[in-house]
Amino acid sequence: MKTRIITIDGPAGTGKSTVAKTVAEKLGYTFLDTGALYRTCALAVDKINGDIENEEECAKIVAGINIKLFGSKVFLDGIDVSKDIRTNRISTLSSKIAAHPSVRNLMLNIQRSFPKFSSIVAEGRDTGSVVFPDADVKIYLDASLEERAKRRHNEMILKGISVPIEQIINDVKERDDRDRTRESSPLVIPYNSTVVDTTHMNLDEVIETVLKEIKKKLPD
């Protein structure tokens, strides 16, 4: 049976992970959270106080670890790190380690192995442009900087974390700049993708829009 590949890319704060996970569940596909892979790489380096700016050191560490994804669970060398990789520190470090071409190359084989076993919904920043350039459906979620920062701010408040909105705007902008200007696999709107501006949409509206686009391109 031919497996299908759906990619959902976009900058930080657009709701990619939640949308991709929900869409995968509704379609009965496997959810591939590529961001979790890079977060796990960053965690592995951080755990041994490695230099996140040193590409050679990061690649050596990443080459020696074992990462497994089981649904929403992420395992690093057999240990469940699903919660550990969701901290603000690891989020920042993950964008730095993801800028290293050698680390990205190591992650490519892992990501591309998923469609061999089942249809997938892959979420990230280069899934439609680099990882799966021939995907059946490509979606690019976007939103204004202010809206994305507000969403992050609300998430942190729910977690009991108090951070000025101005700082979050700066953090999101810096993340955007790193993702869009990195030498290896920068964040771009993939060729032949559908752009969905989520600035004035709630989560249910985004999911409905994405599912309609998928149905239009994959009527069967």
Side-chain angles (χ1 to χ4, degrees), residues 1-8 18-31 118-122 136-139 207-220:
M1 184 183 78
K2 182 184 184 302
T3 58
R4 302 285 195 178
I5 301 174
I6 297 169
T7 61
I8 300 181
T18 304
V19 172
K21 183 178 180 180
T22 304
V23 168
E25 289 174 351
K26 289 183 176 294
L27 295 175
Y29 286 13
T30 295
F31 168 50
S118 68
S119 293
I120 67 167
V121 177
D136 298 282
V137 182
K138 300 180 186 180
I139 305 292
I207 292 171
E208 182 180 358
T209 299
V210 171
L211 285 171
K212 283 182 178 178
E213 184 62 26
I214 293 170
K215 186 175 181 179
K216 186 193 306 180
K217 294 190 175 181
L218 299 176
D220 56 337

Side-chain angles (χ1 to χ4, degrees), residues 135-151:
D136 298 282
V137 182
K138 300 180 186 180
I139 305 292
Y140 185 90
L141 299 185
D142 207 349
S144 68
L145 172 62
E146 293 74 19
E147 177 61 24
R148 290 186 287 122
K150 185 173 74 174
R151 293 172 185 172

Side-chain angles (χ1 to χ4, degrees), residues 61 109 111 155:
I61 294 170
N109 288 336
Q111 296 171 71
E155 287 176 4

Side-chain angles (χ1 to χ4, degrees), residues 15-18 20-21 31-43 46 67-75 80-94 123-125 152 155-156 159 161 175:
K16 299 188 305 296
S17 294
T18 304
K21 183 178 180 180
F31 168 50
L32 172 55
D33 182 356
T34 64
L37 295 175
Y38 289 104
R39 285 171 179 267
T40 306
C41 291
L43 180 66
D46 194 47
I67 304 175
K68 295 292 184 184
L69 301 182
F70 295 102
S72 60
K73 296 287 187 179
V74 186
F75 292 83
D80 186 350
V81 294
S82 306
K83 292 183 179 179
D84 298 332
I85 64 172
R86 299 299 174 183
T87 66
N88 290 327
R89 173 176 175 77
I90 295 303
S91 179
T92 298
L93 294 180
S94 69
E123 172 269 322
R125 287 174 173 76
R152 281 294 168 88
E155 287 176 4
M156 297 181 77
K159 294 178 181 178
I161 304 172
R175 179 67 188 267

Side-chain angles (χ1 to χ4, degrees), residues 133-211:
D134 298 320
D136 298 282
V137 182
K138 300 180 186 180
I139 305 292
Y140 185 90
L141 299 185
D142 207 349
S144 68
L145 172 62
E146 293 74 19
E147 177 61 24
R148 290 186 287 122
K150 185 173 74 174
R151 293 172 185 172
R152 281 294 168 88
H153 190 235
N154 290 337
E155 287 176 4
M156 297 181 77
I157 290 175
L158 289 174
K159 294 178 181 178
I161 304 172
S162 179
V163 179
I165 185 66
E166 293 78 14
Q167 180 181 328
I168 296 179
I169 290 175
N170 288 334
D171 289 346
V172 172
K173 187 177 185 304
E174 287 181 8
R175 179 67 188 267
D176 286 350
D177 290 342
R178 278 198 300 270
D179 290 341
R180 288 171 174 148
T181 61
R182 67 191 182 204
E183 181 180 346
S184 179
S185 306
L187 172 66
V188 297
I189 298 176
Y191 171 73
N192 204 30
S193 62
T194 298
V195 178
V196 179
D197 188 334
T198 71
T199 303
H200 304 293
M201 301 170 71
N202 61 38
L203 182 59
D204 288 339
E205 290 171 333
V206 177
I207 292 171
E208 182 180 358
T209 299
V210 171
L211 285 171

